[in-house]
Amino acid sequence: MNFTPPDFFPAILEMLTLGMTCLVMLVYLFLDQKNRGITYFLTQITLLGTAVVAISLHGSPEVITFDGSFILNSQAILLKIFILLSVSFVLMYSRTYIRENDILHGEFYLLVLFSVLGMEVLVSAYSFLTLYLGLEIFSLPLYALIALKGNKPVCQEAAIKYFIMGAIASGFLLYGISLIYGACQSFNIHEIISMMSLSIHTEPLLLTLGLVFMSAGALFKLGIAPFHMWVPDVYEGSPNAMTLLIATAPKLAGFALLTHILVEALPVLFPQWQYLLIAVALLSMAVGNIIAIVQDNIKRMLAYSSIANMGYMLLGLIAGTPRGYGAALFYMIIYVVMSLGAFGVITMLSRKGFELEKVDDFKGLNTRNPWLAFMMLLILFSMAGVPPSAGFFAKVGVLEALVKVNIVWLPAVALVFAIIGAYYYLRVVKVMYFDEPLEKTPVILESFDTQLAISINGLAVFFLGLFPTTLIELCQQAFLA
Amino acid sequence: MELLKTLSLLVVIAPLVGAAGAGLFCRQVSKQFAHRLTIALMGFSLILSLYVACLVIGQDQSYEGVLYLWGQSGKLTLNVGFLIDNLTACMMVTVTFVSFLVHIYSIGYMAEDGGYQRFFSYISLFTFFMLMLVTANNFLQLFFGWEGVGLASYLLIGFWFNRESANQGSFKAFLVNRVGDFGFVVGIAGVLGYFGSLDYIPVFAAIPGVAEANTLIPGTSWSVISFIGFFLFVGAMAKSAQMPLHVWLPESMEGPTPISALIHAATMVTAGVFMVARLSPLYQYTPSMQSFILIIGATGALFTGLIAIVQNDIKRVVAYSTLSQLGYMMAAAGVSAYAASIFHLMTHAAFKALLFLGAGSVILAMHHDQDLRHMGGLRKQMPITYFTFLIGTLALCAIPPFSGFFSKDAIIEAVHSSQIGGASYAYVCVVLGSFVTAFYSFRALFLAFHGEGRMSHEAKHHVKESPWVVWLPLVLLAIPSVIQGYMMVGPMLFSEPSYLGNSITVLTQNNVLMRMGEEFRGGFHMILESFGNFPLWFAILGAFSAWIAYVKKPELPPLCVKRFKWLYTILIHKYGFDDFNDWFFVRGGQRTAKLMYQGDARIIDDFFVNGAGRLITWCSATARRLQTGYIYHYAFVMLLGLMALLVWLMFR
């Protein structure tokens, strides 16, 4: 039996990330306290460098390696690019926050990098084992990150909640994997597909059970009702910089998890998971939009908003067409961009000893920093789906995909919830522009890169709405191959 | 062709540039600059439009084309384009000529007004819209101009916006014109629906076919042409102040007098007449609408004239006379004598602008007192104003050889020889109308300029002739009022080709002017013949009666008022149109609105709108209690959800 070494090239991004992570770890050990800022730059170089390599890889043909357990295709590359970029933005927004709140430098950046590595692996997984491996690599650092600000009980509480709930979800996922294995005798997605298309050895009951358990695990990661209970508590309890991180890149990884399971591994079960998704999507949109209305805490409000948004994203998957999957991916990317901006502003407005949490803290932001208020306005309009912002086209995309397959009632209901949702986004706009500020001091952003980042972020929301075609086409291509 | 296009474009754009220059920078530019700029551009526009008229009428050129594509929606293309033919050329000259003189006149009339620059900007803007209206080659652009002049009219009636009456007048004009515009839009929609295009040329070409092929409701004989014609005419009724949509025009006199001359006498109010002439190919195919136009016009010609007799405000007298003359124009359009209609429009533009500007000159001398009862004997102090006003009056009363005689006599004769339904009623109206016209015109003349002065002693002392910028336009307008009719009657009405060329369409069986033309033997002969007809004697009788009543025996009018109390009451109440509108539309509308508002507040606002909000808030407040914060609750919910999904999918 000959041993042929596997093709390592498709995993170049992961290897780059891992290598750089080790470098950061070593450098950190030899740095004294005052030069530890260097780790920030090294981390950014890692993220942006990997992103550049990922961009250069885009367009190359699909490769499967490591004995069929790892895949590199345009979908994976697209997701990785946005994961890397969004984490890079997260670090830019939270740099000042991290320094002022004495969250230990090195560990912070290391944990973030490990989490990114996990997300990359998850995105490229082509076997349930890789999938689970990636999931755990990206989740565990996040639990630790939330608890990093050790002296606050509320953070500990959030970390423990996230950890325990996450463990239960992992249990669901693993149990589901084992059931599917029982039916198909394989972890490998490719083999599962061929097994199912032959329709021998398949046990319908086992498959359905496996589908539900695996979906539950994935839906938990995305924070979709009824597996959403952790979202508001964790968002609220985490330090703002961590909320920013949890609310953005992991959503893209979660999207990859869900599509790997449903779209790639189990397309045969589409009639079943379509019903499942309709139920949870409706529940998410209802729960998210309705409960968000009474929230005074902006982080909680945005947490419910994320639950609702995940519901909208599912609409694209429910359509069951490549067009719908593409629309869902586009929705996901746009949501992450908006979420980055919104939590970014929240993080920037927090200072040492002051966590911005209340909607009222936004009062009169326009008089204190008009540009920041304007960026927030663009982002909130986009979240509410006001044309011509990107959020509008994201919603149009998923609803259109549903209408194309003659499901009209669901978009109609979704629109009603979107109208309810518009209320709480616009309330923040009203508070920023029409209310008297609680404190008159102008808000000054210290570092130039932060200002640049939020400007790019806010304007991106606007210009992706004006010229959405390129990104929409990229998303569509990701599912056409 | 290209030359004509460029010239027309310059004619139209020049006033807009002036309006922008004087209006957008009204706080920066001086008064001198504002009037110099607008007058220079207006003069430029006048000279070019005269040149255009030479090319079009003299050398028989024309232009029809698209300037640019404004919008496209499905099969509907919306163009901005020009149709420059004889009718347009006549209108362009009339509009720019009167507008130019009114600009000059305003230097004197508005000299001490705070909104000087704004005023010049508005009148130039008005001229731009009016020119867009007459040069349009499609219905949409016609509507653009139509709305634009309405806007300018609204702004100028309410020019003195801190006067309550001016605001009410502008508001009334605006609302009444809304009614007309509604009809107009319905008409345009009808054109689009049945013809599939909004451009004049293809629509006109398709009219005979559409007229035969379509009825409004299958199985009936209601022609779609009549339907379209009616609704377009509703627009014309409001804009040209035809009964019963005439109520706004007297109120429009709250605007500055130059505006009354330009907009509410010479140009804008004749837009409806222009439209009917422009759409002559359409109205030729709907005999019922022709009769309708004739009856509406003739009724207005007589009955609004009667109201003028009891008015004491000099501007209102002239305003009611405008209503009456517009009635004559419409009546002519009704009997297919479009050439006579446009001819009267042009002569009327000159002499009515003259009368208004003359009245303005008097008002200026009287320090903005407009009441005829306070005037008298002004002819000695204001000889130029008196003399030109007299010429205007003679022209209005159709006394030969002044211009109004030729156009009005042609109208009366055309109505006489027409055979369409309602023609005999209309004939009676227009003939009696000539008596009424002469009576109220000379009444105003005598009250203002003859007899003893009735103003206070001090005021009498201050009365003097107006400055040259005011009387020069009067003189310049008096010239056409004397000679225009004699010079133009032949080529305008009876020669072949006439000044209007083939820009209007008249079917042979309707062509009254052609039949009249067979007997026409020149302007001088026309004067001689008129001595053998009713209308001239009626006019002379009217003037004579006015002389007896207001110069010879001034005690007579009060006696008549006492004797014919009922008639006086009807006239002073203007046949009750205003009272009816106030009772039915204003107060009825208010009552309905109040009722609706209560329904709205209770049912829609409170139950549906706020109720939905309260429901959601209640749901929200209830549902948030589920979020207890205990991990075991959360885990329980997850398990429950999982179980539910399992059970559902397995036993589905």
Side-chain angles (χ1 to χ4, degrees):
Chain A
M1 190 174 163
N2 288 329
F3 175 74
T4 42
D7 184 4
F8 281 96
F9 182 73
I12 183 166
L13 299 175
E14 288 72 15
M15 292 189 293
L16 257 176
T17 315
L18 181 62
M20 285 300 286
T21 311
C22 296
L23 184 72
V24 173
M25 191 152 43
L26 282 175
V27 170
Y28 173 69
L29 284 177
F30 291 98
L31 284 176
D32 51 6
Q33 192 67 37
K34 36 175 210 228
N35 290 328
R36 282 184 180 169
I38 290 172
T39 48
Y40 168 76
F41 294 106
L42 279 175
T43 313
Q44 284 290 21
I45 289 168
T46 312
L47 293 170
L48 293 175
T50 317
V52 168
V53 177
I55 290 168
S56 71
L57 282 176
H58 192 268
S60 55
E62 179 177 304
V63 202
I64 299 172
T65 184
F66 296 124
D67 201 19
S69 62
F70 190 93
I71 190 171
L72 189 72
N73 54 11
S74 58
Q75 181 197 338
I77 293 173
L78 193 63
L79 279 168
K80 283 180 199 178
I81 292 171
F82 278 97
I83 287 171
L84 290 161
L85 288 180
S86 66
V87 174
S88 166
F89 269 80
V90 166
L91 296 184
M92 269 187 259
Y93 291 144
S94 52
R95 190 175 165 209
T96 319
Y97 181 91
I98 298 294
R99 195 176 54 229
E100 286 189 351
N101 284 284
D102 290 330
I103 295 173
L104 302 166
H105 281 133
E107 282 88 342
F108 175 78
Y109 292 119
L110 277 176
L111 287 170
V112 170
L113 281 174
F114 274 120
S115 185
V116 169
L117 177 66
M119 292 184 217
E120 285 176 280
V121 171
L122 172 58
V123 164
S124 272
Y126 206 53
S127 139
F128 286 161
L129 282 182
T130 337
L131 202 67
Y132 184 71
L133 184 71
L135 177 67
E136 290 303 327
I137 299 179
F138 107 71
S139 299
L140 287 170
L142 288 184
Y143 305 143
L145 276 168
I146 295 171
L148 208 53
K149 198 174 167 188
N151 50 0
K152 277 185 79 178
V154 69
C155 298
Q156 311 287 5
E157 184 192 329
I160 292 290
K161 270 183 186 161
Y162 193 23
F163 176 64
I164 293 178
M165 306 300 284
I168 296 174
S170 290
F172 286 166
L173 187 70
L174 279 177
Y175 188 51
I177 290 174
S178 74
L179 288 170
I180 299 284
Y181 184 81
C184 303
Q185 281 91 47
S186 178
F187 292 125
N188 194 304
I189 289 178
H190 184 71
E191 284 170 19
I192 291 171
I193 295 171
S194 51
M195 202 72 168
M196 289 216 181
S197 57
L198 289 174
S199 67
I200 42 168
H201 303 302
T202 46
E203 299 274 346
L205 187 61
L206 272 187
L207 283 177
T208 307
L209 283 174
L211 170 73
V212 175
F213 275 101
M214 284 193 79
S215 308
L219 294 175
F220 169 84
K221 280 288 155 200
L222 288 169
I224 288 167
F227 311 103
H228 68 285
M229 301 295 268
W230 62 277
V231 180
D233 287 13
V234 172
Y235 275 34
E236 187 192 355
S238 306
N240 285 349
M242 308 310 161
T243 314
L244 171 63
L245 181 61
I246 299 168
T248 51
K251 300 285 181 198
L252 290 169
F255 175 81
L257 178 62
L258 192 64
T259 49
H260 281 321
I261 297 170
L262 299 181
V263 178
E264 280 164 31
L266 305 172
V268 181
L269 299 180
F270 171 69
Q272 279 158 29
W273 59 256
Q274 188 187 28
Y275 275 100
L276 189 148
L277 290 189
I278 289 176
V280 296
L282 276 176
L283 195 61
S284 290
M285 289 187 288
V287 166
N289 281 321
I290 290 179
I291 305 190
I293 284 179
V294 285
Q295 302 301 327
D296 299 325
N297 185 308
I298 188 148
K299 283 161 75 184
R300 262 189 115 74
M301 190 200 92
L302 286 173
Y304 283 107
S305 138
S306 102
I307 295 169
N309 273 300
M310 292 306 106
Y312 285 106
M313 181 277 293
L314 289 183
L315 297 180
L317 300 182
I318 290 167
T321 55
R323 186 195 187 87
Y325 303 147
L329 177 57
F330 180 69
Y331 194 97
M332 207 66 209
I333 291 174
I334 295 301
Y335 171 72
V336 167
V337 175
M338 297 185 303
S339 197
L340 259 182
F343 283 107
V345 170
I346 293 174
T347 310
M348 278 186 268
L349 291 176
S350 307
R351 293 179 304 277
K352 186 176 172 67
F354 170 71
E355 291 275 292
L356 185 137
E357 288 188 323
K358 299 285 174 209
V359 174
D360 287 352
D361 293 335
F362 274 95
K363 273 187 176 174
L365 183 62
N366 183 42
T367 56
R368 301 172 64 198
N369 189 331
W371 182 245
L372 204 57
F374 180 62
M375 290 300 120
M376 190 70 182
L377 169 105
L378 287 179
I379 290 157
L380 288 165
F381 272 8
S382 176
M383 282 186 162
V386 177
S389 62
F392 168 74
F393 284 100
K395 280 208 173 65
V396 168
V398 289
L399 299 182
E400 190 196 16
L402 275 181
V403 173
K404 280 265 151 87
V405 293
N406 293 322
I407 303 177
V408 181
W409 66 273
L410 192 54
V413 177
L415 277 180
V416 172
F417 284 122
I419 293 166
I420 296 175
Y423 166 78
Y424 56 85
Y425 298 122
L426 297 184
R427 193 181 75 171
V428 180
V429 174
K430 176 238 163 198
V431 164
M432 287 196 305
Y433 279 85
F434 301 109
D435 284 4
E436 285 298 310
L438 293 177
E439 44 186 321
K440 302 273 184 203
T441 48
V443 175
I444 298 158
L445 298 180
E446 284 170 24
S447 52
F448 173 73
D449 59 342
T450 320
Q451 281 181 44
L452 186 69
I454 189 64
S455 304
I456 291 173
N457 200 171
L459 293 176
V461 168
F462 183 64
F463 282 103
L464 281 175
L466 287 182
F467 310 104
T469 333
T470 318
L471 187 56
I472 289 179
E473 274 172 8
L474 282 177
C475 295
Q476 299 288 0
Q477 279 164 14
F479 282 95
L480 279 179
Chain B
M1 285 304 210
E2 281 305 305
L3 174 67
L4 207 51
K5 176 181 164 186
T6 318
L7 286 175
S8 309
L9 195 60
L10 288 173
V11 170
V12 174
I13 294 295
L16 181 65
V17 174
L24 296 180
F25 308 103
C26 65
R27 289 176 207 284
Q28 283 83 36
V29 299
S30 66
K31 287 186 171 186
Q32 271 90 355
F33 179 81
H35 72 235
R36 275 180 199 157
L37 176 75
T38 49
I39 290 172
L41 286 164
M42 220 34 252
F44 175 70
S45 191
L46 170 63
I47 291 164
L48 289 188
S49 57
L50 282 170
Y51 186 40
V52 167
C54 285
L55 288 178
V56 171
I57 296 172
Q59 300 179 18
D60 208 18
Q61 296 187 13
S62 70
Y63 173 79
E64 202 276 333
V66 174
L67 292 179
Y68 73 94
L69 177 72
W70 181 58
Q72 194 155 24
S73 168
K75 270 185 269 175
L76 170 65
T77 15
L78 305 173
N79 288 317
V80 175
F82 280 162
L83 171 58
I84 311 293
D85 61 1
N86 302 46
L87 179 59
T88 306
C90 288
M91 290 300 289
M92 279 164 86
V93 173
T94 311
V95 170
T96 49
F97 177 64
V98 179
S99 178
F100 178 65
L101 294 183
V102 167
H103 271 77
I104 295 177
Y105 179 89
S106 303
I107 300 175
Y109 193 85
M110 301 301 289
E112 280 154 29
D113 198 280
Y116 194 82
Q117 291 91 330
R118 189 163 58 94
F119 182 83
F120 277 89
S121 167
Y122 284 172
I123 50 175
S124 278
L125 185 69
F126 165 78
T127 315
F128 163 72
F129 281 126
M130 191 67 203
L131 288 169
M132 282 299 277
L133 191 159
V134 298
T135 55
N137 79 335
N138 60 68
F139 284 89
L140 194 78
Q141 194 178 333
L142 177 71
F143 186 63
F144 169 76
W146 198 265
E147 291 297 293
V149 290
L151 167 74
S153 160
Y154 167 78
L155 290 172
L156 284 164
I157 297 171
F159 184 76
W160 288 312
F161 49 77
N162 38 16
R163 280 193 201 166
E164 181 65 25
S165 58
N167 284 333
Q168 279 185 359
S170 62
F171 206 53
K172 192 164 181 180
F174 192 78
L175 286 179
V176 175
N177 275 293
R178 247 19 29 217
V179 177
D181 293 339
F182 172 73
F184 203 72
V185 171
V186 172
I188 291 177
V191 170
L192 185 64
Y194 284 101
F195 294 90
S197 171
L198 287 177
D199 291 343
Y200 289 153
I201 303 290
V203 169
F204 290 169
I207 283 171
V210 172
E212 277 177 25
N214 291 299
T215 48
L216 189 60
I217 299 166
T220 63
S221 60
W222 297 346
S223 157
V224 294
I225 303 293
S226 297
F227 167 78
I228 293 168
F230 173 76
F231 279 103
L232 289 173
F233 186 65
V234 170
M237 278 163 76
K239 194 65 67 185
S240 287
Q242 297 294 311
M243 276 184 157
L245 295 180
H246 66 283
V247 289
W248 65 273
L249 189 62
E251 311 265 325
S252 76
M253 296 301 132
E254 294 300 335
T257 306
I259 291 321
S260 310
L262 175 62
I263 302 185
H264 305 117
T267 55
M268 184 188 85
V269 289
T270 58
V273 179
F274 165 78
M275 186 206 81
V276 175
R278 172 55 88 208
L279 302 183
S280 57
L282 192 139
Y283 284 104
Q284 280 302 299
Y285 285 88
T286 162
S288 55
M289 274 312 296
Q290 286 178 309
S291 291
F292 183 71
I293 295 174
L294 172 63
I295 290 169
I296 291 282
T299 309
L302 176 61
F303 288 94
T304 54
L306 283 171
I307 302 178
I309 297 176
V310 298
Q311 295 296 318
N312 286 320
D313 182 326
I314 185 167
K315 278 182 73 182
R316 297 224 169 193
V317 174
V318 190
Y320 278 104
S321 106
T322 306
L323 286 175
S324 163
Q325 299 307 308
L326 288 167
Y328 277 97
M329 293 176 213
M330 273 304 176
V335 295
S336 307
Y338 301 108
S341 175
I342 296 296
F343 185 33
H344 194 53
L345 187 160
M346 292 169 76
T347 56
H348 173 259
F351 68 69
K352 188 50 66 64
L354 170 59
L355 284 174
F356 261 121
L357 296 185
S361 175
V362 170
I363 293 167
L364 208 56
M366 294 288 295
H367 297 282
H368 292 274
D369 185 351
Q370 307 185 359
D371 198 323
L372 282 168
R373 287 168 297 191
H374 300 163
M375 298 175 189
L378 293 176
R379 72 177 185 278
K380 294 191 197 76
Q381 285 111 318
M382 308 180 70
I384 303 173
T385 305
Y386 170 66
F387 193 62
T388 50
F389 198 86
L390 179 64
I391 289 174
T393 307
L394 289 169
L396 172 63
C397 300
I399 306 291
F402 297 97
S403 66
F405 162 73
F406 295 96
S407 52
K408 204 174 187 180
D409 204 54
I411 290 175
I412 295 173
E413 200 46 44
V415 173
H416 190 193
S417 46
S418 174
Q419 307 292 330
I420 67 169
S424 29
Y425 161 76
Y427 182 61
V428 174
C429 284
V430 293
V431 170
L432 289 179
S434 52
F435 171 83
V436 176
T437 308
F439 186 79
Y440 67 68
S441 310
F442 276 96
R443 169 178 174 264
L445 182 81
F446 291 144
L447 281 177
F449 292 98
H450 290 256
E452 281 301 307
R454 290 176 294 273
M455 64 288 273
S456 66
H457 185 70
E458 195 186 353
K460 192 183 270 181
H461 226 67
H462 281 112
V463 170
K464 60 176 193 297
E465 184 58 274
S466 302
W468 70 271
V469 285
V470 171
W471 63 253
L472 182 69
L474 297 183
V475 173
L476 290 178
L477 282 166
I479 297 168
S481 300
V482 178
I483 61 169
Q484 189 187 10
Y486 185 77
M487 283 174 62
M488 282 172 63
V489 59
M492 188 82 189
L493 299 181
F494 302 120
S495 68
E496 195 59 48
S498 71
Y499 275 1
L500 291 181
N502 46 15
S503 58
I504 51 178
T505 308
V506 183
L507 298 180
T508 320
Q509 71 265 27
N510 291 335
N511 203 337
V512 286
L513 284 178
M514 199 180 70
R515 291 201 287 276
M516 284 160 61
E518 288 160 7
E519 295 163 16
F520 177 73
R521 283 187 295 278
F524 187 66
H525 200 85
M526 197 172 161
I527 296 173
L528 288 182
E529 265 181 12
S530 70
F531 284 98
N533 287 336
F534 286 124
L536 177 61
W537 291 110
F538 267 65
I540 292 172
L541 189 64
F544 186 67
S545 315
W547 181 73
I548 291 191
Y550 294 97
V551 182
K552 195 75 182 162
K553 288 193 181 306
E555 65 277 9
L556 209 55
L559 274 177
C560 289
V561 169
K562 212 171 269 177
R563 184 73 186 80
F564 299 103
K565 187 79 182 161
W566 57 275
L567 185 63
Y568 181 76
T569 315
I570 290 176
L571 291 179
I572 209 82
H573 281 96
K574 305 154 199 160
Y575 310 116
F577 279 110
D578 279 332
D579 299 320
F580 174 78
N581 286 345
D582 189 55
W583 171 77
F584 187 80
F585 290 110
V586 178
R587 270 181 284 153
Q590 280 172 344
R591 270 196 296 273
T592 321
K594 223 170 252 170
L595 198 74
M596 294 288 189
Y597 174 70
Q598 281 169 356
D600 179 78
R602 284 193 195 144
I603 298 169
I604 298 183
D605 278 7
D606 200 57
F607 184 76
F608 285 108
V609 177
N610 292 337
R614 277 197 299 269
L615 180 72
I616 301 275
T617 316
W618 179 84
C619 287
S620 185
T622 313
R624 75 187 296 189
R625 299 214 188 114
L626 293 175
Q627 198 80 25
T628 51
Y630 296 118
I631 289 185
Y632 51 88
H633 282 174
Y634 291 4
F636 181 65
V637 169
M638 273 176 79
L639 283 175
L640 213 60
L642 186 80
M643 289 304 294
L645 288 174
L646 270 177
V647 169
W648 185 47
L649 280 188
M650 279 163 64
F651 298 101
R652 187 168 56 89

